[in-house]
Amino acid sequence: MGTLVCLHAHPDDEAIATGGSMARAHAEGHRVVLIVATDGAHGEVPDDLADGETLEDRRRAETMASAEALGIDRVEFLDYTDSGMSGWDQNDHHEAFCQADLDTVAGRIADLLRHEQADVFTIYDWHGGYGHPDHVQVHRVGCRAEELVRPDLPQLRVLESTMNRDSMRRLITMFEEMGLDVAGPDDEEGDTFDPDGPMDDGNPMGTLEAELTLGVDVSGYTEHKRTAISAHSSQVSDSSFFVQMPPEVFAQAFGNEWYIEHGQPLGLKMGWFFE
């Protein structure tokens, strides 16, 4: 059996980006470890926080509930401050994750990878899927951690989690034909989300299919993924795009997860981490 370590920027990213892969790994008997870089302090603040409870407290608890749904064996919080979206004043905060010293963060992650004797390590693509500064930092520190551990873990597979932009286009067309709302979070009612439009950093969403190397079939674990997403209830309301989607549509939309594996030639193939 092997060990999968997934590095994510914020609480809830784990469920959306690699939730199916983690659930599948657990179901097949592998050890699953989640690293969460930030406290998620710039998320939506729910109305039902208890006296003395902070948003950071709530999001940590929600992450643990998500981890239980996915079968994660260990959750490690790095406790950096959420940097906020591109251009926010919070980007310049001295404790923001995007300002953290690259080698310091990478060293912490490398230590964990060595301790766990990791076989597979997931990070994000070069622009973090949509340009969020913390997601970009996950890519940077993840690549540096790979360099640090390569002599000790020559077997380590490093994969960049990303979104398949061509698949997103196909799904949007399917959703429109079904009469589902496909507006983005900042779109006006009736608008259609455009994955080719500028995201947080001005680049399109995710990665073109021709630039991917691995698709992972997680169709047997979409209910685990859906449950994990719903665990982050402070950020995912009952009317959200994820939760309002009929289960069979959710399974079709999120039955695959997409990766770019370091050291592999471009060209999408369906496969699995532990083959």
Side-chain angles (χ1 to χ4, degrees):
M1 294 295 102
T3 298
L4 166 65
V5 178
C6 296
L7 173 62
H8 285 284
H10 309 100
D12 80 7
D13 288 329
E14 83 290 340
I16 296 168
T18 63
S21 298
M22 290 190 287
R24 177 175 170 179
H26 169 76
E28 295 183 4
H30 303 289
R31 180 169 170 79
V32 182
V33 177
L34 167 64
I35 308 173
V36 182
T38 79
D39 56 14
H42 295 306
E44 296 294 327
V45 180
D47 296 329
D48 63 344
L49 288 177
D51 289 343
E53 182 186 21
T54 66
L55 176 60
E56 296 93 316
D57 296 334
R58 176 66 61 87
R59 298 199 72 181
R60 183 181 287 250
E62 289 174 343
T63 300
M64 298 309 295
S66 169
E68 183 175 359
L70 297 174
I72 295 171
D73 297 287
R74 175 185 177 185
V75 181
E76 189 74 18
F77 295 94
L78 300 184
D79 290 327
Y80 289 96
T81 299
D82 188 341
S83 305
M85 303 295 282
S86 292
W88 287 16
D89 291 343
Q90 291 89 338
N91 295 174
D92 298 323
H93 193 283
H94 70 280
E95 293 183 351
F97 181 53
C98 68
Q99 295 291 338
D101 180 74
L102 183 67
D103 282 339
T104 299
V105 185
R108 294 178 65 186
I109 295 166
D111 287 344
L112 187 147
L113 292 170
R114 293 189 192 97
H115 177 78
E116 292 288 347
Q117 287 295 293
D119 298 285
V120 181
F121 178 42
T122 73
I123 58 175
Y124 297 150
D125 66 27
W126 68 275
H127 69 128
Y130 66 102
H132 191 296
D134 289 330
H135 287 238
V136 175
Q137 182 76 327
V138 163
H139 174 80
R140 295 176 66 240
V141 300
C143 289
R144 179 60 180 141
E146 176 187 8
E147 294 174 351
L148 294 175
V149 302
R150 183 57 67 191
D152 305 309
L153 301 174
Q155 82 288 353
L156 184 68
R157 297 180 68 178
V158 180
L159 301 102
E160 300 175 10
S161 170
T162 188
M163 290 156 280
N164 181 335
R165 193 153 74 244
D166 295 285
S167 176
M168 292 184 73
R169 290 195 212 98
R170 294 190 292 267
L171 288 170
I172 287 169
T173 299
M174 180 186 76
F175 292 154
E176 288 181 318
E177 291 173 351
M178 297 175 66
L180 294 174
D181 180 15
V182 288
D186 298 320
D187 294 333
E188 295 182 3
E189 185 175 352
D191 287 347
T192 298
F193 176 69
D194 179 12
D196 295 297
M199 300 296 137
D200 197 42
D201 63 348
N203 290 292
M205 177 76 78
T207 304
L208 293 173
E209 195 164 89
E211 297 171 354
L212 303 174
T213 67
L214 183 68
V216 172
D217 180 0
V218 297
S219 57
Y221 305 96
T222 52
E223 275 307 301
H224 297 77
K225 183 167 182 169
R226 186 182 178 98
T227 301
I229 292 172
S230 298
H232 294 279
S233 56
S234 70
Q235 308 303 303
V236 184
S237 69
D238 290 341
S239 60
S240 75
F241 174 73
F242 296 111
V243 178
Q244 73 175 349
M245 196 180 296
E248 64 277 8
V249 177
F250 184 93
Q252 187 169 357
F254 297 102
N256 294 297
E257 291 175 349
W258 311 101
Y259 298 91
I260 305 166
E261 182 168 4
H262 291 184
Q264 294 299 313
L266 299 184
L268 178 60
K269 297 179 181 177
M270 298 304 295
W272 179 223
F273 300 153
F274 297 101
E275 290 179 340

